[in-house]
Amino acid sequence: MPPPLSEQAELRRLWQSLSPDARAQLWTAHRDDLLAAGLLSPSVKQVAADRGSGKHGAEDIEWNDWVTRTKMQALVVLADGGDLNDASRHMKHYLDNTGTPMELPVDKMLTDNRGFQAHVDQLLLQDNE
């Protein structure tokens, strides 16, 4: 059972005050305890979906929705053929509408985009100088 809200707020404050390395070490050693304490539970009040939303994937699509979907599926094929495999994979995952999480290989993102990698490297150098 999660602790009272006042304790959760204090835990969140302490968690946010930790360095990323300290968070990683704490997470590795006490993941189940942190989750049980509600530390990473949403802090924003969740409201029920409005009655018009229906169940996931329950509504039939209209003509303009079908046209848009067909265009996006064509873009998936073009992106895959144009060596934009990650973009293609991401759009296909979105269009499949399964609701399942997608694994994003962060290390691959860094090696694929040299500008992004240089930016991250510069940030790390600044932090460690």
Side-chain angles (χ1 to χ4, degrees), residues 81-94:
D83 200 29
L84 297 171
N85 301 18
D86 288 333
S88 171
R89 187 171 66 94
H90 295 179
M91 182 55 73
K92 182 173 179 353
H93 178 78
Y94 173 77

Side-chain angles (χ1 to χ4, degrees), residues 5 27 48 52 59 65 70 80 87 90 100 102 106 109 114 118 123:
L5 291 178
W27 176 258
E59 294 184 27
D65 296 328
T70 303
D80 213 16
H90 295 179
T100 60
M102 181 176 192
V106 176
M109 288 179 200
R114 292 178 189 209
L123 289 175

